[in-house]
Amino acid sequence: VPLPEESTPVSLEPQPETAPEPAPQNRSEKKLVFQFPPVYRLLMYFFLIIFFFFCLLVATQALLAGLFFMVIAVFVGLIAIVFSPKVEITETAIRASSLLGSSESRWDDIQNMKSGWMNQTLELHKGSGEIVKISTQVSGYARILHILRKKRPDLFDTASEYNPGDPRTL
């Protein structure tokens, strides 16, 4: 077996192992979160808990009166749920959630928008028929509208719908 004319020197010293390069990690998307002001939410939950214990105390003395106050506590709890919405905005999507559920839409999936019941929500209608309801009560609602206007200016284009001769558009 012929030997090669030039051979590379072999070192007997242990060679430092090169660590494999870590796979590039997907950096987490920057997320903006809008909610009802936390001080008001904490106060509301605190008073709800105090009221619930008051109902239990009354129920130990008089069951019927306690049940009446429990119904009021449930009603106040439902109001607390209404005031617990959260809106998360990323570069690719908008997500609205509350204690009862959540819905999300990519910016490109939004077909149109309209005002919800008594102007308390902004409804973003997706092509699939789903609706993302954004509460107008969250802190920073004006900023949400500003971001929406930047991401999807076509949703705000009402000039094409305006017809000066049509009395319905006045």
mmCIF file with all atom_site columns, all heavy atoms in Angstrom, residues 93-107:
data_model
loop_
_atom_site.group_PDB
_atom_site.id
_atom_site.type_symbol
_atom_site.label_atom_id
_atom_site.label_alt_id
_atom_site.label_comp_id
_atom_site.label_asym_id
_atom_site.label_entity_id
_atom_site.label_seq_id
_atom_site.pdbx_PDB_ins_code
_atom_site.Cartn_x
_atom_site.Cartn_y
_atom_site.Cartn_z
_atom_site.occupancy
_atom_site.B_iso_or_equiv
_atom_site.pdbx_formal_charge
_atom_site.auth_seq_id
_atom_site.auth_comp_id
_atom_site.auth_asym_id
_atom_site.auth_atom_id
_atom_site.pdbx_PDB_model_num
ATOM 1   N N   . ALA A 1 93  ? -51.231 39.593 13.557 1.00 0.00 ? 93  ALA A N   1
ATOM 2   C CA  . ALA A 1 93  ? -52.622 39.311 13.909 1.00 0.00 ? 93  ALA A CA  1
ATOM 3   C C   . ALA A 1 93  ? -53.112 40.196 15.053 1.00 0.00 ? 93  ALA A C   1
ATOM 4   O O   . ALA A 1 93  ? -52.337 40.891 15.703 1.00 0.00 ? 93  ALA A O   1
ATOM 5   C CB  . ALA A 1 93  ? -52.765 37.843 14.318 1.00 0.00 ? 93  ALA A CB  1
ATOM 6   N N   . ILE A 1 94  ? -54.417 40.122 15.271 1.00 0.00 ? 94  ILE A N   1
ATOM 7   C CA  . ILE A 1 94  ? -55.061 40.784 16.404 1.00 0.00 ? 94  ILE A CA  1
ATOM 8   C C   . ILE A 1 94  ? -55.912 39.728 17.108 1.00 0.00 ? 94  ILE A C   1
ATOM 9   O O   . ILE A 1 94  ? -56.566 38.909 16.458 1.00 0.00 ? 94  ILE A O   1
ATOM 10  C CB  . ILE A 1 94  ? -55.895 42.002 15.956 1.00 0.00 ? 94  ILE A CB  1
ATOM 11  C CG1 . ILE A 1 94  ? -56.481 42.727 17.167 1.00 0.00 ? 94  ILE A CG1 1
ATOM 12  C CG2 . ILE A 1 94  ? -56.967 41.610 14.968 1.00 0.00 ? 94  ILE A CG2 1
ATOM 13  C CD1 . ILE A 1 94  ? -57.051 44.094 16.839 1.00 0.00 ? 94  ILE A CD1 1
ATOM 14  N N   . ARG A 1 95  ? -55.860 39.731 18.433 1.00 0.00 ? 95  ARG A N   1
ATOM 15  C CA  . ARG A 1 95  ? -56.571 38.728 19.230 1.00 0.00 ? 95  ARG A CA  1
ATOM 16  C C   . ARG A 1 95  ? -57.347 39.439 20.325 1.00 0.00 ? 95  ARG A C   1
ATOM 17  O O   . ARG A 1 95  ? -56.802 40.268 21.047 1.00 0.00 ? 95  ARG A O   1
ATOM 18  C CB  . ARG A 1 95  ? -55.562 37.757 19.836 1.00 0.00 ? 95  ARG A CB  1
ATOM 19  C CG  . ARG A 1 95  ? -56.154 36.732 20.742 1.00 0.00 ? 95  ARG A CG  1
ATOM 20  C CD  . ARG A 1 95  ? -55.026 35.911 21.367 1.00 0.00 ? 95  ARG A CD  1
ATOM 21  N NE  . ARG A 1 95  ? -55.532 34.923 22.248 1.00 0.00 ? 95  ARG A NE  1
ATOM 22  C CZ  . ARG A 1 95  ? -55.780 33.659 21.921 1.00 0.00 ? 95  ARG A CZ  1
ATOM 23  N NH1 . ARG A 1 95  ? -55.553 33.266 20.700 1.00 0.00 ? 95  ARG A NH1 1
ATOM 24  N NH2 . ARG A 1 95  ? -56.244 32.824 22.806 1.00 0.00 ? 95  ARG A NH2 1
ATOM 25  N N   . ALA A 1 96  ? -58.616 39.100 20.449 1.00 0.00 ? 96  ALA A N   1
ATOM 26  C CA  . ALA A 1 96  ? -59.465 39.638 21.507 1.00 0.00 ? 96  ALA A CA  1
ATOM 27  C C   . ALA A 1 96  ? -59.894 38.475 22.395 1.00 0.00 ? 96  ALA A C   1
ATOM 28  O O   . ALA A 1 96  ? -60.351 37.445 21.903 1.00 0.00 ? 96  ALA A O   1
ATOM 29  C CB  . ALA A 1 96  ? -60.682 40.328 20.910 1.00 0.00 ? 96  ALA A CB  1
ATOM 30  N N   . SER A 1 97  ? -59.725 38.631 23.706 1.00 0.00 ? 97  SER A N   1
ATOM 31  C CA  . SER A 1 97  ? -60.102 37.566 24.613 1.00 0.00 ? 97  SER A CA  1
ATOM 32  C C   . SER A 1 97  ? -60.734 38.139 25.868 1.00 0.00 ? 97  SER A C   1
ATOM 33  O O   . SER A 1 97  ? -60.530 39.296 26.220 1.00 0.00 ? 97  SER A O   1
ATOM 34  C CB  . SER A 1 97  ? -58.876 36.714 24.975 1.00 0.00 ? 97  SER A CB  1
ATOM 35  O OG  . SER A 1 97  ? -57.885 37.509 25.567 1.00 0.00 ? 97  SER A OG  1
ATOM 36  N N   . SER A 1 98  ? -61.513 37.290 26.512 1.00 0.00 ? 98  SER A N   1
ATOM 37  C CA  . SER A 1 98  ? -62.132 37.639 27.786 1.00 0.00 ? 98  SER A CA  1
ATOM 38  C C   . SER A 1 98  ? -62.149 36.369 28.625 1.00 0.00 ? 98  SER A C   1
ATOM 39  O O   . SER A 1 98  ? -61.595 35.352 28.218 1.00 0.00 ? 98  SER A O   1
ATOM 40  C CB  . SER A 1 98  ? -63.544 38.189 27.583 1.00 0.00 ? 98  SER A CB  1
ATOM 41  O OG  . SER A 1 98  ? -64.401 37.164 27.136 1.00 0.00 ? 98  SER A OG  1
ATOM 42  N N   . LEU A 1 99  ? -62.809 36.401 29.760 1.00 0.00 ? 99  LEU A N   1
ATOM 43  C CA  . LEU A 1 99  ? -62.882 35.215 30.600 1.00 0.00 ? 99  LEU A CA  1
ATOM 44  C C   . LEU A 1 99  ? -63.704 34.109 29.956 1.00 0.00 ? 99  LEU A C   1
ATOM 45  O O   . LEU A 1 99  ? -63.554 32.941 30.295 1.00 0.00 ? 99  LEU A O   1
ATOM 46  C CB  . LEU A 1 99  ? -63.460 35.571 31.968 1.00 0.00 ? 99  LEU A CB  1
ATOM 47  C CG  . LEU A 1 99  ? -62.601 36.495 32.827 1.00 0.00 ? 99  LEU A CG  1
ATOM 48  C CD1 . LEU A 1 99  ? -63.316 36.839 34.121 1.00 0.00 ? 99  LEU A CD1 1
ATOM 49  C CD2 . LEU A 1 99  ? -61.263 35.866 33.122 1.00 0.00 ? 99  LEU A CD2 1
ATOM 50  N N   . LEU A 1 100 ? -64.558 34.444 29.008 1.00 0.00 ? 100 LEU A N   1
ATOM 51  C CA  . LEU A 1 100 ? -65.428 33.455 28.378 1.00 0.00 ? 100 LEU A CA  1
ATOM 52  C C   . LEU A 1 100 ? -64.842 32.826 27.123 1.00 0.00 ? 100 LEU A C   1
ATOM 53  O O   . LEU A 1 100 ? -65.297 31.783 26.688 1.00 0.00 ? 100 LEU A O   1
ATOM 54  C CB  . LEU A 1 100 ? -66.778 34.086 28.045 1.00 0.00 ? 100 LEU A CB  1
ATOM 55  C CG  . LEU A 1 100 ? -67.590 34.578 29.236 1.00 0.00 ? 100 LEU A CG  1
ATOM 56  C CD1 . LEU A 1 100 ? -68.869 35.237 28.782 1.00 0.00 ? 100 LEU A CD1 1
ATOM 57  C CD2 . LEU A 1 100 ? -67.893 33.425 30.174 1.00 0.00 ? 100 LEU A CD2 1
ATOM 58  N N   . GLY A 1 101 ? -63.881 33.452 26.495 1.00 0.00 ? 101 GLY A N   1
ATOM 59  C CA  . GLY A 1 101 ? -63.317 32.887 25.272 1.00 0.00 ? 101 GLY A CA  1
ATOM 60  C C   . GLY A 1 101 ? -62.455 33.905 24.549 1.00 0.00 ? 101 GLY A C   1
ATOM 61  O O   . GLY A 1 101 ? -62.228 35.017 25.036 1.00 0.00 ? 101 GLY A O   1
ATOM 62  N N   . SER A 1 102 ? -61.985 33.507 23.370 1.00 0.00 ? 102 SER A N   1
ATOM 63  C CA  . SER A 1 102 ? -61.144 34.414 22.602 1.00 0.00 ? 102 SER A CA  1
ATOM 64  C C   . SER A 1 102 ? -61.336 34.155 21.111 1.00 0.00 ? 102 SER A C   1
ATOM 65  O O   . SER A 1 102 ? -61.819 33.100 20.704 1.00 0.00 ? 102 SER A O   1
ATOM 66  C CB  . SER A 1 102 ? -59.675 34.245 22.984 1.00 0.00 ? 102 SER A CB  1
ATOM 67  O OG  . SER A 1 102 ? -59.214 32.982 22.573 1.00 0.00 ? 102 SER A OG  1
ATOM 68  N N   . SER A 1 103 ? -60.961 35.144 20.332 1.00 0.00 ? 103 SER A N   1
ATOM 69  C CA  . SER A 1 103 ? -60.989 35.021 18.880 1.00 0.00 ? 103 SER A CA  1
ATOM 70  C C   . SER A 1 103 ? -59.811 35.799 18.320 1.00 0.00 ? 103 SER A C   1
ATOM 71  O O   . SER A 1 103 ? -59.339 36.750 18.926 1.00 0.00 ? 103 SER A O   1
ATOM 72  C CB  . SER A 1 103 ? -62.315 35.533 18.316 1.00 0.00 ? 103 SER A CB  1
ATOM 73  O OG  . SER A 1 103 ? -62.534 36.862 18.704 1.00 0.00 ? 103 SER A OG  1
ATOM 74  N N   . GLU A 1 104 ? -59.344 35.358 17.164 1.00 0.00 ? 104 GLU A N   1
ATOM 75  C CA  . GLU A 1 104 ? -58.152 35.940 16.582 1.00 0.00 ? 104 GLU A CA  1
ATOM 76  C C   . GLU A 1 104 ? -58.326 36.049 15.078 1.00 0.00 ? 104 GLU A C   1
ATOM 77  O O   . GLU A 1 104 ? -59.027 35.254 14.455 1.00 0.00 ? 104 GLU A O   1
ATOM 78  C CB  . GLU A 1 104 ? -56.948 35.048 16.902 1.00 0.00 ? 104 GLU A CB  1
ATOM 79  C CG  . GLU A 1 104 ? -55.652 35.560 16.372 1.00 0.00 ? 104 GLU A CG  1
ATOM 80  C CD  . GLU A 1 104 ? -54.480 34.695 16.809 1.00 0.00 ? 104 GLU A CD  1
ATOM 81  O OE1 . GLU A 1 104 ? -54.671 33.715 17.540 1.00 0.00 ? 104 GLU A OE1 1
ATOM 82  O OE2 . GLU A 1 104 ? -53.356 35.026 16.402 1.00 0.00 ? 104 GLU A OE2 1
ATOM 83  N N   . SER A 1 105 ? -57.654 37.042 14.504 1.00 0.00 ? 105 SER A N   1
ATOM 84  C CA  . SER A 1 105 ? -57.678 37.205 13.055 1.00 0.00 ? 105 SER A CA  1
ATOM 85  C C   . SER A 1 105 ? -56.332 37.725 12.578 1.00 0.00 ? 105 SER A C   1
ATOM 86  O O   . SER A 1 105 ? -55.753 38.610 13.196 1.00 0.00 ? 105 SER A O   1
ATOM 87  C CB  . SER A 1 105 ? -58.786 38.175 12.637 1.00 0.00 ? 105 SER A CB  1
ATOM 88  O OG  . SER A 1 105 ? -58.734 38.387 11.244 1.00 0.00 ? 105 SER A OG  1
ATOM 89  N N   . ARG A 1 106 ? -55.868 37.161 11.492 1.00 0.00 ? 106 ARG A N   1
ATOM 90  C CA  . ARG A 1 106 ? -54.696 37.720 10.838 1.00 0.00 ? 106 ARG A CA  1
ATOM 91  C C   . ARG A 1 106 ? -55.144 39.002 10.150 1.00 0.00 ? 106 ARG A C   1
ATOM 92  O O   . ARG A 1 106 ? -56.303 39.162 9.808  1.00 0.00 ? 106 ARG A O   1
ATOM 93  C CB  . ARG A 1 106 ? -54.124 36.728 9.825  1.00 0.00 ? 106 ARG A CB  1
ATOM 94  C CG  . ARG A 1 106 ? -53.619 35.442 10.490 1.00 0.00 ? 106 ARG A CG  1
ATOM 95  C CD  . ARG A 1 106 ? -53.036 34.475 9.482  1.00 0.00 ? 106 ARG A CD  1
ATOM 96  N NE  . ARG A 1 106 ? -51.998 35.037 8.639  1.00 0.00 ? 106 ARG A NE  1
ATOM 97  C CZ  . ARG A 1 106 ? -50.721 35.177 8.972  1.00 0.00 ? 106 ARG A CZ  1
ATOM 98  N NH1 . ARG A 1 106 ? -50.330 34.800 10.173 1.00 0.00 ? 106 ARG A NH1 1
ATOM 99  N NH2 . ARG A 1 106 ? -49.838 35.689 8.140  1.00 0.00 ? 106 ARG A NH2 1
ATOM 100 N N   . TRP A 1 107 ? -54.235 39.923 9.967  1.00 0.00 ? 107 TRP A N   1
ATOM 101 C CA  . TRP A 1 107 ? -54.587 41.217 9.384  1.00 0.00 ? 107 TRP A CA  1
ATOM 102 C C   . TRP A 1 107 ? -55.193 41.041 7.992  1.00 0.00 ? 107 TRP A C   1
ATOM 103 O O   . TRP A 1 107 ? -56.127 41.744 7.621  1.00 0.00 ? 107 TRP A O   1
ATOM 104 C CB  . TRP A 1 107 ? -53.370 42.129 9.316  1.00 0.00 ? 107 TRP A CB  1
ATOM 105 C CG  . TRP A 1 107 ? -52.858 42.530 10.661 1.00 0.00 ? 107 TRP A CG  1
ATOM 106 C CD1 . TRP A 1 107 ? -51.676 42.181 11.221 1.00 0.00 ? 107 TRP A CD1 1
ATOM 107 C CD2 . TRP A 1 107 ? -53.522 43.351 11.628 1.00 0.00 ? 107 TRP A CD2 1
ATOM 108 N NE1 . TRP A 1 107 ? -51.554 42.728 12.475 1.00 0.00 ? 107 TRP A NE1 1
ATOM 109 C CE2 . TRP A 1 107 ? -52.679 43.467 12.749 1.00 0.00 ? 107 TRP A CE2 1
ATOM 110 C CE3 . TRP A 1 107 ? -54.749 44.002 11.658 1.00 0.00 ? 107 TRP A CE3 1
ATOM 111 C CZ2 . TRP A 1 107 ? -53.008 44.192 13.876 1.00 0.00 ? 107 TRP A CZ2 1
ATOM 112 C CZ3 . TRP A 1 107 ? -55.080 44.733 12.791 1.00 0.00 ? 107 TRP A CZ3 1
ATOM 113 C CH2 . TRP A 1 107 ? -54.218 44.817 13.879 1.00 0.00 ? 107 TRP A CH2 1
#
